[in-house]
Amino acid sequence: PEDSIEVASPEAIRAVVEELVRRGNDPTLSMADRIALEEPLLDAFVVSKEGKPFATSGMTSLLMDYCHDRLGATLVAATPDQLRELLFTLLPRHTRFDADSAPIIVGETRAFFTYLKAHHGLAQADASLEVLGEGAEAELAAALSDRRNFGDDKVSAMNAALDSTGRRHADALRREV
């Protein structure tokens, strides 16, 4: 349970945030090093008042991975354009989330940047929160349900799920995409 997570001091977490910003677009930041930096931040977030409602979702961790793997940046240092691309282009193209997931995705991401601003003074948090403002849930829901956004990864996963009983439907879906 999240109550048993040992959390680093606020000063240590602030230093982690500063390091993630400093190395945010560093191509030499390995996945292992990034995860080692982000882990104490995630631990602190999930026990915070902002993060507790999302403690079991894992969305922030997933977004951190996608941001680094697909955009070459840490989520903490992502520009508003990178955050917009991550949420409204990459997630719809490469994940199997449906439109009903939009409130959780946007809500947790908004909570994460609210936490970073309130507790660690992240300078770019306001710009990220603007991306996550009014209309973000509806925009993401529309993007997640628009078949034109489905990339090969998503269509392949859907085809595999339909292989045993719905090959005709999968072929029709492929023609639509």
Side-chain angles (χ1 to χ4, degrees), residues 93-166:
R93 182 163 287 280
H94 298 288
T95 67
R96 289 187 251 171
F97 293 118
D98 61 23
D100 293 340
S101 303
I104 293 169
I105 295 168
V106 171
E108 182 168 342
T109 308
R110 188 181 294 133
F112 181 65
F113 282 102
T114 299
Y115 164 79
L116 288 171
K117 178 183 176 181
H119 299 278
H120 304 295
L122 182 66
Q124 63 266 38
D126 284 331
S128 298
L129 289 167
E130 283 184 35
V131 172
L132 299 160
E134 189 175 330
E137 289 177 15
E139 183 178 351
L140 181 57
L144 289 168
S145 60
D146 186 342
R147 288 192 167 139
R148 293 172 297 177
N149 292 333
F150 295 5
D152 291 340
D153 295 345
K154 190 168 190 167
V155 171
S156 294
M158 292 172 76
N159 284 344
L162 295 171
D163 250 352
S164 61
T165 59

Side-chain angles (χ1 to χ4, degrees), residues 73-89:
T74 63
L75 183 59
V76 170
T79 66
D81 287 341
Q82 287 172 317
L83 183 59
R84 177 168 289 292
E85 182 178 356
L86 176 66
L87 291 174
F88 305 115
T89 302

